[in-house]
Amino acid sequence: MASAISLDTKTLKASPVYPPKITSVKALVESTDFSLPSFYTFTHNLHDELISDDPEDSIPIIDISLLVSGTPEEQSQVIHQLNKACSDWGCFMVINHGVSESLTKAMIASFQEFFDLPEEEKEEFQGSHVMDPIRCGTGFNPSINKANLWRDFLKCVAHPEFHSPNKPAGFSEIALEFSKRNREVVTVLLKAISKSLGLEESYINKAANFELGLQLLAANYYPACPEPEKAIGIPSHYDHGLLTILVNNGVSGLQVKHKEKWFNVNIHPNTLFVQVADHLEILSNGKYKSIAHRALVNNRATRMSIALAHGPSLDTVIRPAPELADNESHPPAYVELTYREFLELQQTGKLRSKFRLNSEQSKAS
Ligand code: OGA
Ligand code: NI
C-alpha cells in the first residue's frame, strides 16, 4: 500500500504546523503509532461546549407512514408535528420510512469497502472542484477550516444524473437504490412540510424544481483518533440543501445545536435523521431555520456516517414563498440566488453573513 504521507521533511521541519500531503486519515492512522499531529489540532471554543442532558428535551420522532396511509386526522397530526419539529428543533427522526435496514447496512458496508481500497485506487476519484460529480478526499480546506479535519469522505452526485465510482463491485447498484429510496422519503416530507407552512402540497416541489433537484450521496469516515478532544471530524456548520438525511454505523459523534446547547444525536438503526438545511430556511422565509451541527471523533471505534443532501435544482432562483413574505412584519429576509450561485459563494467561505438580508440575524458557522 502507498504511504499516506509523502513527507517533504525539509518543509515539515521548517514549518511544523503545515500539513504534509495526506491522502486519507485512514491511511495515516494505519501507517504508524503517534500522538495527534499538530495540524489536526482544533481549538474548541469553550463558550460553545455546553452539552444538554435534559431527558425531557428530545429530538422529535415522525412516523412518516401515517402521511401516506393514515386517516385524515392522523395526517394532520403528523403535519402539526412536523411544523413543531422544524420550528423548534430544525431536525427530527423519521420512522416507518420504507428504506429497508438491509439496504442501509449494505450501503454502509459498500462505503467501507470503498474506503478500504488501496490509496492509489481511491486517488483516481479525487475531484478538485465542488461540482465534480464524484469526489473523494480528506479534510483540509485552508480557506474555510483552521485545522485539518479528522475525516475522509466520498461524495457522489446521485440526482438529477446518477454518478458513482466503478468500484468496489456492487457499489453502484446499491448506491442507486439507496439514493432513490431516500429521495422518495424526502418527496413525501416536502409535501407535508409545504402543508405545515400553510402552502399548497406541491409548493416546495415546484418552487425548488425538485424534479431536477440536486441529490448528493456522501459518506464520512472518521477513524478512531488518539486524542479525540483535540481534533474535530467536522466543525459546526449548516447544510446547504433543503433537507439532509443522515444515518451512521452505530457509532455516535453527531451533535446538533438546540437552544444554544449541543445535543448528542444517537441515530438508531432503521431510523433516518433529518435536518433542515439552508434552502428550506430561505423558502420558508426563516420560519424553519437550518440547524447547526458538527461531528466529534472518539478513540474507541471508527465512525462512518452517510449524509444525503437533497436540494433544489442548480439553476432555479430560490426566494422566500410570497405567502410567507407578504407584509411589513414579514418582509423577505433572504437574498435571491440560484442554488449554484449559493454553492459557489459558499466555497469562498463568505456566504454565511451574506445570505440573510438582515445581517444582525446572520449566524456564524
Ligand atoms: C455532513 C455532516 C455529520 C456526521 O456530512 O454534512 O454534517 O454525523 N455529517 O457525519
Ligand atoms: Ni452537515
Side-chain angles (χ1 to χ4, degrees):
M1 193 207 278
S3 162
I5 324 174
S6 354
L7 273 184
D8 175 347
T9 35
K10 262 193 223 143
T11 329
L12 198 67
K13 273 190 196 129
S15 168
V17 290
Y18 211 75
K21 185 177 182 298
I22 290 167
T23 56
S24 75
V25 186
K26 180 174 187 290
L28 177 73
V29 291
E30 284 169 3
S31 63
T32 174
D33 264 353
F34 57 78
S35 57
L36 194 75
S38 61
F39 42 84
Y40 280 104
T41 306
F42 177 79
T43 312
H44 287 268
N45 175 354
L46 290 175
H47 299 293
D48 212 17
E49 297 309 307
L50 289 169
I51 307 284
S52 178
D53 51 7
D54 180 354
E56 295 300 306
D57 218 2
S58 57
I59 294 171
I61 298 172
I62 301 293
D63 181 347
I64 195 177
S65 68
L66 295 175
L67 287 171
V68 184
S69 55
T71 63
E73 293 84 72
E74 285 170 331
Q75 291 186 20
S76 50
Q77 240 174 11
V78 178
I79 288 166
H80 179 71
Q81 289 165 0
L82 274 171
N83 177 295
K84 260 191 88 49
C86 294
S87 45
D88 291 355
W89 277 85
C91 64
F92 48 90
M93 299 285 178
V94 173
I95 56 167
N96 296 328
H97 44 69
V99 183
S100 77
E101 198 174 342
S102 57
L103 177 59
T104 303
K105 279 196 172 141
M107 188 73 266
I108 291 175
S110 229
F111 271 117
Q112 175 73 54
E113 281 177 40
F114 177 85
F115 289 113
D116 284 343
L117 290 172
E119 293 300 300
E120 53 273 23
E121 285 188 41
K122 284 186 279 187
E123 263 180 59
E124 197 187 309
F125 303 108
Q126 248 173 16
S128 53
H129 187 259
V130 253
M131 290 305 180
D132 287 341
I134 303 174
R135 216 151 48 87
C136 85
T138 188
F140 190 65
N141 183 344
S143 67
I144 297 178
N145 304 311
K146 293 181 189 73
N148 234 17
L149 308 185
W150 193 265
R151 67 124 192 203
D152 301 329
F153 66 85
L154 170 63
K155 294 185 185 184
C156 311
V157 170
H159 194 272
E161 250 178 47
F162 177 77
H163 299 262
S164 94
N166 56 3
K167 54 184 132 178
F171 182 95
S172 221
E173 291 75 13
I174 295 168
L176 179 61
E177 182 67 11
F178 184 72
S179 307
K180 274 190 183 166
R181 294 279 93 84
N182 277 284
R183 224 180 110 75
E184 285 165 10
V185 172
V186 172
T187 304
V188 172
L189 285 175
L190 288 179
K191 285 185 189 167
I193 288 175
S194 293
K195 281 183 159 176
S196 79
L197 287 163
L199 303 168
E200 72 166 281
E201 184 175 88
S202 60
Y203 183 84
I204 296 177
N205 199 312
K206 287 185 192 153
N209 195 8
F210 190 68
E211 305 293 304
L212 292 177
L214 183 73
Q215 183 190 33
L216 293 175
L217 168 65
N220 299 301
Y221 189 92
Y222 310 96
C225 175
E227 295 181 273
E229 64 295 336
K230 287 194 189 160
I232 190 83
I234 310 182
S236 177
H237 67 283
Y238 305 85
D239 288 354
H240 45 62
L242 295 159
L243 292 176
T244 301
I245 294 187
L246 265 156
V247 293
N248 65 29
N249 66 343
V251 179
S252 41
L254 174 64
Q255 293 187 329
V256 294
K257 205 171 204 180
H258 174 62
K259 296 186 186 156
E260 298 308 309
K261 286 187 181 166
W262 288 106
F263 266 69
N264 293 317
V265 181
N266 296 313
I267 312 172
H268 296 289
N270 225 358
T271 298
L272 305 176
F273 180 60
V274 178
Q275 302 187 126
V276 172
D278 291 337
H279 281 78
L280 182 53
E281 174 167 342
I282 299 173
L283 280 173
S284 71
N285 200 28
K287 270 189 118 176
Y288 297 164
K289 295 243 174 8
S290 58
I291 186 161
H293 57 284
R294 64 182 184 183
L296 304 186
V297 293
N298 73 81
N299 57 9
R300 301 174 311 278
T302 293
R303 171 162 190 263
M304 201 161 86
S305 69
I306 302 179
L308 290 133
H310 299 84
S313 89
L314 281 170
D315 295 309
T316 302
V317 175
I318 304 298
R319 55 175 69 87
E323 291 89 331
L324 304 174
D326 59 353
N327 60 43
E328 277 180 24
S329 59
H330 292 109
Y334 298 85
V335 290
E336 296 187 6
L337 293 170
T338 64
Y339 188 22
R340 189 191 300 279
E341 288 164 342
F342 185 101
L343 291 175
E344 281 166 2
L345 253 182
Q346 193 173 52
Q347 276 308 294
T348 67
K350 294 191 184 124
L351 179 70
R352 193 42 62 177
S353 56
K354 286 196 176 157
F355 94 113
R356 289 194 178 82
L357 288 175
N358 175 356
S359 60
E360 271 171 22
Q361 289 174 18
S362 70
K363 306 180 275 189
S365 63

